[in-house]
DNA sequence: GATGAATGAGGATTCATTCAT
DNA sequence: TATGAATGAATCCTCATTCAT
């Protein structure tokens, strides 16, 4: 596992105060850098705690302790517990989008279905294996902000899947496409649970099985070869 | 404490005019009936609240309020919040088992796969549509008692699926059977989410889609016709 | 959920003299000092409330209020109500033991009985007058931890009394010694009630009377002069 | 509020039966007799529960259960928990007064001190051994009503002791008499604890020891032989 | 009268959040 | 900024007491 927290993203949760602070001296820059580090620290801690105990029963004090700071410090960077989840979700979401952008890039989509599945699924699965907090968060927090992020994620993936699907089955109706996409996404999610719950060979086996399911589900629908 | 929840008294939730509800003395039976009603009331309220807010953030006072009683009354029937969830889960679990018993009965399993899928899936889906609190509870409560019930449910379903599978694919290894069963269950669960999230035609469409997925997934594996 | 068995229970009361815990900065020491003060504050408040209303009907909120802090603060230092009583009892017990150690020191025990009674009883009575919460706590809390402390206290005193007695009445049987010691302790306790219930001259009178009782009770038993 | 709670507090078991509002029919008598039985039942149950758990932690439901009746029935005879204790205390108090009347009757007081102690202490000790709830109640309930009863008891005993004392030591001052009486009572109480805490031979030994203590304490004070 | 279900104020305890240092 | 003590509303749960039957 380890700490894979990138910095340099947007902190955005609390930085309204330092927008106009200083332009000339170097200190604020360093200060800001330290702030970024703190935020990463806190988000990483939050990811761990959310993963372990779930959002609802994760206490801010536990997060602060895990991050090695005091609760007061936590609240210097986040206005409340929800904001931590939203920010964490947002960051992971962005990286997920990037991953999806890579996974669904045109050269992957032009291959025959079996290769396409490999090309698309492998990086997405890898991302989720490396960021197990992602699903944990996106699932059942009950937090509106997160729910919205989940929507985004869901809608984004659905759109991508539909796009691919449209290429393969040009004559499918919009409704059919929606149903199929949702099914695909659902199958993916539940398989992901299985994949994340296992390791090594088992994990590989479930990954293979997922591809088999999708392949068999989709193959009969294909009416054209992939475009281009 | 509170292991006295036999079922059986389902009589006329709406009409209080049970003229024949006393065999020897009037009071005990009526008292018992009232207690049963209270328990049902409370469990129904709990189901609603758990469904809406999740187990963790459901407060006992909220459940009591939803049931239209005082917190003290709730605690007359359940020793604590957890027990409510466990009892509710237990009751639903039992009914689920009954449903599964019906769904997986031999005459259903002897048919060809498409009909088998109809025969098995339809009642299970129906049950879940009628008891939406079931999945909500079984999912992430963090309550040991529930987790165990979930285990039971999961293991029970898995065993049933494996049994069916073994008939269809006699030469599959134990590992393969386990993987396939888990995939099937996962696909079922995620489709169930979709099904529960929709109504009417959409619901039917997703149900059909689930069957399609499973049919296409399983058909190539079948090496024998079903026994007898 | 709540696995925070932290400092509260075992602050151990006497470690205020830790001169070495802060060498570099002043803050930790001030913090710790504040914590110590809070604990003392809370224990003092608890002593007052326990004294006034008894352990069972003393509410933690009342203790917090008496200490001038919020309930949450109380729980920052003590995990629960019982722990307050145990800590308070423990602290007082330790001081009692010290007092007893002084009271029963050899040079006191070598004197003739009348002087011995003065030398032993006066400091013990003084201690109890200064710490009226002591008996109040040791009496009927129903708390196991306290009961154990009470046992210790009782057994300790009994042992000391028996030791003195053995010197004075070498030929008394073990049973007789036990009976006499228990009687002495009982007489002491009941007189203490009287002493604590009065002030000034009256208190002195009861103190004198206690000594008279013991003197007359014990004198006829003495068969040797005190050792050495 | 004002509903039906008239009788409860002072029914007092023995004397209300004479105030009979109905003389003609048998039913009210029987009814009243049943009421008396209920009250005795409840008081006996209360005695047991108070003895076992102390007043504060005795719940009215526990008392009702011990008495084999429903909580509602308990409240038909007593307006509240305190009243039960007060009534129980009152009844025991009365019997204690009777015992004291017997113990301190003139022919006992005219004997020489050793016999007097036997004659007075033995019945009082016996009474307390047979009614262990008495001390349990009189001790630390924190209930005003009980405290008052305790006062009565205390004052009554003190007066009797002082009366005896005055006969033996005619020239003692009022203050001295008060002090000595209080000491005697205190010694008696603490010995009683010891006596009640043991059985058989041990109990006898402590009883003997109590008499020894009092004898040695009082003998030197006697300046006259008992009157008559 | 008797029952036992129902009540609800009150107590112990937690935790997101604030504030003095 | 960092700290961690302090806050207090909210939660679970109890029990003396009342009320419908």
């Amino acid at each position: 596992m380890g700490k894979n927290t990138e910095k340099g993203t947007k902190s955005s949760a609390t930085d309204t105060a330092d927008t106009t602070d200083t332009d000339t001296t170097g200190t604020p820059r360093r200060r800001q850098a330290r702030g970024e580090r703190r935020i990463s620290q806190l988000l990483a801690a939050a990811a761990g705690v959310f993963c372990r105990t779930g959002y609802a029963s994760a206490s801010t004090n536990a997060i602060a302790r895990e991050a090695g700071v005091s609760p007061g410090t936590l609240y210097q960077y986040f206005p409340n517990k929800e904001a931590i989840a939203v920010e964490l979700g947002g960051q992971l979401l962005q990286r997920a989008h990037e991953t999806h952008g890579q996974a669904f890039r045109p050269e992957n989509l032009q291959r025959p279905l079996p290769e396409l599945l490999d090309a698309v699924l492998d990086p997405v699965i890898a991302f989720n294996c490396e960021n197990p907090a992602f699903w944990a968060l996106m699932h059942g927090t009950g937090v509106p902000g997160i729910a919205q992020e989940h929507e985004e994620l869901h809608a984004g993936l659905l759109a991508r899947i539909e796009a691919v699907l449209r290429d393969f089955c040009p004559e499918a109706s919009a409704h059919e496409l929606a149903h199929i996409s949702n099914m695909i996404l659902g199958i993916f999610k539940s398989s992901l649970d299985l994949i994340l719950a296992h390791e090594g060979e088992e994990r590989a086996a479930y990954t293979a099985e997922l591809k088999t399911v999708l392949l068999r589900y989709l193959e009969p629908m294909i009416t054209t070869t992939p475009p281009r």
Side-chain angles (χ1 to χ4, degrees), chain A:
Chain A
M1 293 249 168
K3 319 234 143 196
N4 42 13
T5 55
E6 301 274 321
K7 52 146 137 222
T9 56
K10 44 99 184 250
S11 76
S12 85
T14 53
D15 56 2
T16 50
D18 24 326
T19 50
T20 59
D21 263 355
T22 56
D23 309 318
T24 54
T25 71
T27 6
R29 185 126 262 146
R30 200 169 313 123
R31 210 181 266 161
Q32 194 158 323
R34 184 162 51 155
E36 295 295 332
R37 219 177 311 128
R38 273 281 122 94
I39 288 176
S40 303
Q41 224 178 103
L42 285 163
L43 288 178
V49 177
F50 287 158
C51 246
R52 253 179 286 123
T53 73
Y55 172 79
S57 30
S59 84
T60 54
N61 283 5
I63 295 171
R65 202 179 320 120
E66 173 109 352
V69 302
S70 70
T73 298
L74 185 155
Y75 279 88
Q76 203 123 27
Y77 293 99
F78 298 98
N80 52 43
K81 179 174 156 183
E82 189 174 327
I84 303 172
V86 171
E87 173 65 19
L88 176 59
Q91 262 181 228
L92 289 170
L93 189 56
Q94 179 182 332
R95 301 181 52 200
H97 275 315
E98 288 164 14
T99 301
H100 298 163
Q102 282 298 312
F104 284 88
R105 67 184 186 277
E107 59 263 41
N108 285 345
L109 304 183
Q110 290 158 12
R111 311 187 190 180
L113 190 54
E115 295 175 30
L116 184 155
L117 287 175
D118 284 338
V120 168
L121 290 174
D122 287 340
V124 180
I125 289 172
F127 171 79
N128 280 283
C129 288
E130 286 158 20
N131 300 280
F134 192 45
W135 269 131
L137 250 191
M138 290 293 146
H139 264 325
T141 62
V143 176
I146 295 283
Q148 189 187 317
E149 287 176 349
H150 190 206
E151 284 308 300
E152 268 184 62
L153 171 73
H154 197 84
L157 271 175
L158 234 37
R160 289 187 191 275
I161 295 169
E162 273 198 47
V164 176
L165 226 45
R166 223 184 326 264
D167 282 346
F168 278 97
C169 330
E171 68 275 10
S173 75
H175 266 124
E176 285 170 339
L177 284 177
H179 294 156
I180 299 167
S181 303
N182 269 305
M183 286 301 293
I184 293 173
L185 190 46
I187 292 167
F188 169 72
K189 285 185 192 178
S190 60
S191 303
L192 194 54
D193 285 341
L194 247 19
I195 291 167
L196 289 173
H198 293 84
E199 287 192 334
E201 301 233 336
E202 291 285 283
R203 178 174 285 185
Y206 282 112
T207 304
E209 212 64 29
L210 162 62
K211 291 172 185 171
T212 302
V213 170
L214 291 182
L215 193 61
R216 292 189 186 161
Y217 178 41
L218 296 176
E219 227 165 16
M221 299 175 182
I222 298 179
T223 55
T224 66
T225 54
R228 191 76 50 91

